[in-house]
Amino acid sequence: GDSVTQMEGPVTLSEEAFLTINCTYTATGYPSLFWYVQYPGEGLQLLLKATKADDKGSNKGFEATYRKETTSFHLEKGSVQVSDSAVYFCALSVSGGADGLTFGKGTHLIIQP
Amino acid sequence: EAGVTQFPSHSVIEKGQTVTLRCDPISGHDNLYWYRRVMGKEIKFLLHFVKESKQDESGMPNNRFLAERTGGTYSTLKVQPAELEDSGVYFCASSPQGAKRGGYTFGSGTRLTVV
């Protein structure tokens, strides 16, 4: 079946550090890939997505590139801020339309000032 | 536009009791999803409504879970009787008809603790 594996946290970094959160996947079809973020006390929010190989999703300084050859979608940010502290979830969807997502376990990111 | 609303935000119940979670999707969204995150594990898909019909309920763990969506508006998820392993955060999401992949809006979740 489909699955997503992401590095488990917590990941603790200092402000302005470089961030990488690894995500790899297995899928029965051709998936779309997503990163969701959950800030404290809030719901899951779509951070970025990519729908085909070599696409780069970006938002709020975060980037992730769809790498089909390595089945990866690693999340990166050049300089993190305290406000980036949250739980980040990598996810995929192989069905068309509005079908369900397959999530990773989530990575808790803590940014210290 | 109001977002997806879930309540209660927290619920603590004893094993064997019944709990009902509610989700109010964004008005006009035909698609409604339930997901669950058990502590330390992945967020798992439970089921998908299109309007009032269950499109896919393959993720429902067992027959102690019952989901309904009356009139295609709000949805309830009832757990009866609750077991310890049902503890976790239950998320609801909605999307309009024809939404692109990932075009969901999630609620902030209901944290269920069974003691």
Side-chain angles (χ1 to χ4, degrees), chain B residues 64-114:
Chain B
R64 295 186 293 104
F65 288 76
L66 175 64
E68 295 180 324
R69 190 180 182 192
T70 307
T73 55
Y74 70 91
S75 175
T76 58
L77 180 64
K78 180 189 287 187
V79 185
Q80 180 182 28
E83 299 290 343
L84 298 178
E85 63 264 26
D86 300 332
S87 296
V89 181
Y90 291 76
F91 291 101
C92 175
S94 71
S95 67
Q97 183 181 16
K100 296 180 179 179
R101 294 190 200 179
Y104 316 93
T105 300
F106 279 85
S108 55
T110 294
R111 181 175 296 277
L112 174 65
T113 303
V114 182

Side-chain angles (χ1 to χ4, degrees), chain B residues 6-11 19-22 34 88-92 107-113:
Chain B
Q6 292 186 246
F7 44 92
S9 56
H10 294 83
S11 180
V19 63
T20 301
L21 313 181
R22 174 167 168 151
W34 283 98
V89 181
Y90 291 76
F91 291 101
C92 175
S108 55
T110 294
R111 181 175 296 277
L112 174 65
T113 303

